[in-house]
């Protein structure tokens, strides 16, 4: 079973990213959705696939990335270049262009799950500065072949919310 850990918007807080990696040693992939405020090669980001956020100034970060594991394709971007504050439709379009079933984004600091034009569009929330009703959070995605389980975790590693998607992965 693949286990993907998704984090966003730590805004310079040191240690939290490696705490999450240590907590999920069984994770197959770790994704950071931007606004780390670290250099691309900073040790804090070691082991993470990364994209740039609106306050990341290192030009080495990509603006978006695509990850394919088995039958599951994930498109991810910080979201600011897709104007996610107005709508996530543009993000879903880019995900579909990459044949992705899932689009991950950060930027808003608000946990969110929605389906747009057949693409599951997901925000893990912010690990350090939640702007919604929820506490700071990150996301764990697990696939057993036929079912995708999404678990939003508090920064202390407690499950705060779950969703399941019937999807071949």
């Amino acid at each position: 079973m693949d286990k993907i850990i998704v984090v966003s918007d730590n805004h310079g807080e040191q240690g939290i990213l490696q705490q999450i990696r240590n907590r999920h040693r069984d994770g197959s992939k770790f994704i950071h959705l931007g606004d780390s405020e670290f250099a691309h090669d900073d040790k804090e980001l070691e082991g993470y696939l990364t994209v740039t956020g609106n306050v990341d100034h290192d030009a080495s970060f990509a603006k978006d990335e695509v990850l394919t594991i088995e039958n599951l394709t994930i498109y991810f971007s910080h979201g600011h270049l897709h104007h996610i504050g107005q709508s996530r439709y543009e993000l879903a379009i880019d995900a579909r262009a990459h044949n992705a079933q899932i689009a991950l984004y950060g930027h808003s600091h608000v946990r969110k799950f929605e389906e747009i034009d057949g693409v599951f569009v997901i925000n893990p929330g912010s690990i350090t500065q939640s702007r919604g009703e929820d506490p700071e959070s990150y996301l764990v995605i697990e696939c057993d072949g036929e079912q995708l389980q999404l678990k939003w975790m508090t920064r202390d590693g407690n499950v705060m919310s779950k969703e399941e998607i019937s999807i071949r992965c």
Side-chain angles (χ1 to χ4, degrees):
M1 177 181 290
D2 285 304
K3 186 175 182 181
I4 304 164
I5 314 304
V6 185
V7 180
S8 190
D9 297 281
N10 64 293
H11 287 281
E13 181 178 335
Q14 296 189 1
I16 189 68
L17 301 179
Q18 290 309 311
Q19 285 174 17
I20 291 170
R21 275 190 53 81
N22 290 337
R23 182 178 301 135
H24 297 283
R25 292 184 190 275
D26 59 342
S28 54
K29 296 289 182 191
F30 292 80
I31 296 173
H32 192 291
L33 298 174
D35 279 0
S36 67
E37 299 188 41
F38 299 134
H40 183 263
D41 61 353
D42 193 295
K43 188 161 179 65
E44 291 285 330
L45 292 171
E46 188 174 301
Y48 283 85
L49 303 171
T50 58
V51 291
T52 193
N54 57 297
V55 297
D56 293 323
H57 302 293
D58 186 334
S60 302
F61 287 108
K63 69 178 183 75
D64 58 5
E65 290 284 350
V66 176
L67 171 65
T68 301
I69 301 175
E70 304 277 335
N71 297 312
L72 181 67
T73 301
I74 300 171
Y75 173 81
F76 59 100
S77 176
H78 185 60
H80 65 297
L81 299 174
H82 292 94
H83 314 292
I84 58 91
Q86 297 158 358
S87 165
R88 274 75 49 215
Y89 187 71
E90 189 179 327
L91 181 69
I93 289 172
D94 279 358
R96 285 180 58 117
H98 289 90
N99 296 312
Q101 301 96 325
I102 294 177
L104 300 172
Y105 70 100
H107 189 56
S108 69
H109 295 226
V110 177
R111 175 181 71 89
K112 192 161 186 74
F113 172 78
E114 58 192 327
E115 185 177 355
I116 301 172
D117 264 359
V119 176
F120 296 100
V121 181
I122 306 165
N123 188 314
S126 170
I127 195 62
T128 61
Q129 300 174 5
S130 177
R131 293 184 185 150
E133 297 174 7
D134 294 321
E136 286 72 23
S137 62
Y138 65 99
L139 179 66
V140 175
I141 302 172
E142 292 182 272
C143 177
D144 66 6
E146 300 295 326
Q147 193 82 349
L148 202 64
Q149 186 177 73
L150 309 174
K151 289 190 283 189
W152 281 266
M153 314 289 287
T154 65
R155 62 182 278 135
D156 295 330
N158 298 312
V159 177
M160 62 183 238
S161 180
K162 290 182 185 180
E163 291 283 345
E164 288 189 353
I165 303 171
S166 292
I167 189 170
R168 186 158 173 77
C169 49

